[in-house]
Amino acid sequence: MTSFLLTGDIGGTNSRMGLYTIGDNMPLAIKYFRNQEFLPHKEDGIFEKHIIAPFLKQCWEERASTLPSIDQVEIIACLAVAGPVRNNKASLSNLHDIEIDGTAIANQKFCPDDPCLASIRVCTIINDFVAQGYGCLTLKPSEVLELTPGSYAMMDPMGPKVCVGAGTGLGECYLTPSKAGEAGCPTTVHTCFPSEGGHVEYAPRNDLEVKMWKYLKAKFKSTNRISVERVVSGRGLANCYEFLASEFKDKIDPAVHKEFLEAEDMQGKVVAVNARPGTLCLQAMEIMMGAYGAEVGCASIKFIPTGGMYVTGGLTPKNIDFIQGADSPFMKAYKDKGRVAPLLESVPLFAVLVEDLGVRGAHKAAMMEYERLHKNEADSDVSESDAPKARASNHWTQMLAVATLSVLAGMAISKARK
């Protein structure tokens, strides 16, 4: 039976699906699904009905002459989902609380008659930033930018790694290494752990940001706090602009403001595209990027990631001019850590310039699951084939023991007669 890997990177805005053959890092097929269009409401099994099954059906229809029949393959799936994962399930908190249940997908609980879904042998759900973390292990030097000069040279291969990335939301994760030989590992490997660090408290850094903090508390009906994700994300950028528009009404550009109000979940993009000198959009970008740098600095102080701090997410490569350079809003806030600021000089800091880390990480996790399944099967086969040998060995061991006891007993009796 031919095996394939199915990957999904499910964010707040898009779901990116990929199909791979075993051992090939290049996908056979990739397709983006806009979540608001394909997942318009909460419904049991909606993700597999509206995204997985149509994707697999399209893959096999377009490659009917080169792929084996869908009923003659096994598919190992891994879906990276934006949200906490429990019992192989995750809910899309930013999308109607839709639940994606890996076990239900593999068992066809909600789609019992779909022939494409019948080929899925196992479906593992991981946090989207766990996937980002594993994806960081695949990065090439040309795919990152050193934000702290000399970062590559100061990397400690046995140091922890941290990944912080702003996109639709704000995600964070960390990785720890295992030395070669530990826990049966032939080489150094990293284990990635999820975090909900994007939901820690936002800390305003000047009087204007204190006003924005109060504005956002009122908007979100919070008594004491707002999370940093309310500021550092695509939606956070929209929140920054919305506050500034309420504070400085005389600076509003009517055309831009109209576009912003009509943009729905793409309001952050409208702000970024219109961030020109002297505009509220530029001011919003500077506030958001300063908060981004401050949060990355906080994570660096907490974890001291001598193996690398990676700034990922869709907003990073798209807005790199606000991030790179000692005088950028991001870097000035990153370094503004008072008496512990010198600690950051030992942290390798990188901006990630590619946006497919989630897919890469999901692919790595799917491959790990494939290897685990087939290793267990191979070990089971070996155990069964060795069983007759083991029984024969036990038989001869028992016979030898009996013979030895007989000899010893005879010697004892002979000695007693003397």
Side-chain angles (χ1 to χ4, degrees), residues 157-238:
M158 293 308 298
K161 299 177 184 288
V162 172
C163 177
V164 177
T168 304
L170 178 64
E172 302 186 8
C173 69
Y174 64 99
L175 301 93
T176 59
S178 298
K179 290 182 180 178
E182 289 184 355
C185 298
T187 58
T188 300
V189 297
H190 287 79
T191 302
C192 188
F193 299 90
S195 163
E196 289 299 323
H199 295 285
V200 301
E201 281 78 1
Y202 164 67
R205 303 174 62 250
N206 55 49
D207 292 342
L208 181 62
E209 291 182 9
V210 169
K211 284 187 176 182
M212 185 176 75
W213 174 73
K214 293 178 179 178
Y215 173 89
L216 295 177
K217 276 203 307 171
K219 176 180 178 178
F220 295 108
K221 298 179 175 59
S222 175
T223 304
N224 300 311
R225 69 182 298 276
I226 61 164
S227 69
V228 67
E229 186 182 64
R230 300 291 195 188
V231 177
V232 184
S233 63
R235 291 188 176 94
L237 179 57

Side-chain angles (χ1 to χ4, degrees), residues 27-332:
L28 286 173
I30 285 280
K31 185 173 181 179
Y32 285 87
F33 294 83
R34 186 164 169 75
N35 290 339
Q36 278 202 339
E37 178 183 351
F38 289 90
L39 305 172
H41 56 266
K42 186 173 184 177
E43 175 189 333
D44 287 341
I46 190 171
F47 189 83
E48 52 264 43
K49 290 177 188 175
H50 291 187
I51 292 183
I52 297 180
F55 174 67
L56 290 176
K57 182 179 179 182
Q58 180 180 341
C59 288
W60 257 262
E61 286 178 347
E62 293 178 349
R63 298 163 181 80
S65 62
T66 58
L67 295 181
S69 175
I70 189 70
D71 60 358
Q72 298 297 314
V73 305
E74 69 165 7
I75 296 174
I76 310 301
C78 179
L79 307 179
V81 181
V85 177
R86 297 285 185 277
N87 300 320
N88 206 31
K89 303 176 185 178
S91 293
L92 300 174
S93 58
N94 292 327
L95 198 68
H96 321 299
D97 286 322
I98 289 172
E99 183 176 78
I100 300 178
D101 184 338
T103 305
I105 292 171
N107 292 337
Q108 288 188 274
K109 180 177 180 180
F110 302 115
C111 305
D113 301 320
D114 190 286
C116 294
L117 296 178
S119 295
I120 297 178
R121 179 177 177 185
V122 64
C123 180
T124 303
I125 309 298
I126 63 175
N127 175 266
D128 64 331
F129 248 74
V130 168
Q132 290 264 329
Y134 283 126
C136 282
L137 302 177
T138 71
L139 288 168
K140 303 173 184 177
S142 61
E143 296 175 324
V144 299
L145 178 69
E146 288 187 340
L147 296 178
T148 296
S151 286
Y152 264 115
M154 69 174 80
M155 286 180 72
D156 177 2
M158 293 308 298
K161 299 177 184 288
V162 172
C163 177
V164 177
T168 304
L170 178 64
E172 302 186 8
C173 69
Y174 64 99
L175 301 93
T176 59
S178 298
K179 290 182 180 178
E182 289 184 355
C185 298
T187 58
T188 300
V189 297
H190 287 79
T191 302
C192 188
F193 299 90
S195 163
E196 289 299 323
H199 295 285
V200 301
E201 281 78 1
Y202 164 67
R205 303 174 62 250
N206 55 49
D207 292 342
L208 181 62
E209 291 182 9
V210 169
K211 284 187 176 182
M212 185 176 75
W213 174 73
K214 293 178 179 178
Y215 173 89
L216 295 177
K217 276 203 307 171
K219 176 180 178 178
F220 295 108
K221 298 179 175 59
S222 175
T223 304
N224 300 311
R225 69 182 298 276
I226 61 164
S227 69
V228 67
E229 186 182 64
R230 300 291 195 188
V231 177
V232 184
S233 63
R235 291 188 176 94
L237 179 57
N239 289 334
C240 293
Y241 171 83
E242 186 181 279
F243 159 71
L244 293 172
S246 71
E247 188 74 11
F248 305 107
K249 293 181 174 63
D250 57 322
K251 293 185 178 180
I252 291 176
D253 181 318
V256 171
H257 195 66
K258 182 177 184 295
E259 183 184 0
F260 174 84
L261 294 176
E262 296 173 352
E264 298 183 346
D265 65 329
M266 300 303 289
Q267 288 181 329
K269 182 178 181 180
V270 172
V271 177
V273 168
N274 290 283
R276 294 181 288 272
T279 64
L280 292 181
C281 291
L282 177 61
Q283 192 174 1
M285 283 291 296
E286 291 173 341
I287 290 173
M288 193 271 282
M289 285 299 176
Y292 196 4
E295 175 58 20
V296 171
C298 288
S300 294
I301 289 171
K302 291 173 184 175
F303 290 96
I304 315 179
T306 53
M309 164 60 80
Y310 295 87
V311 185
T312 68
L315 292 184
T316 298
K318 292 183 178 75
N319 302 286
I320 194 65
D321 290 342
F322 291 91
I323 294 174
Q324 67 177 336
D327 294 327
S328 69
F330 180 98
M331 288 304 296
K332 285 195 290 188

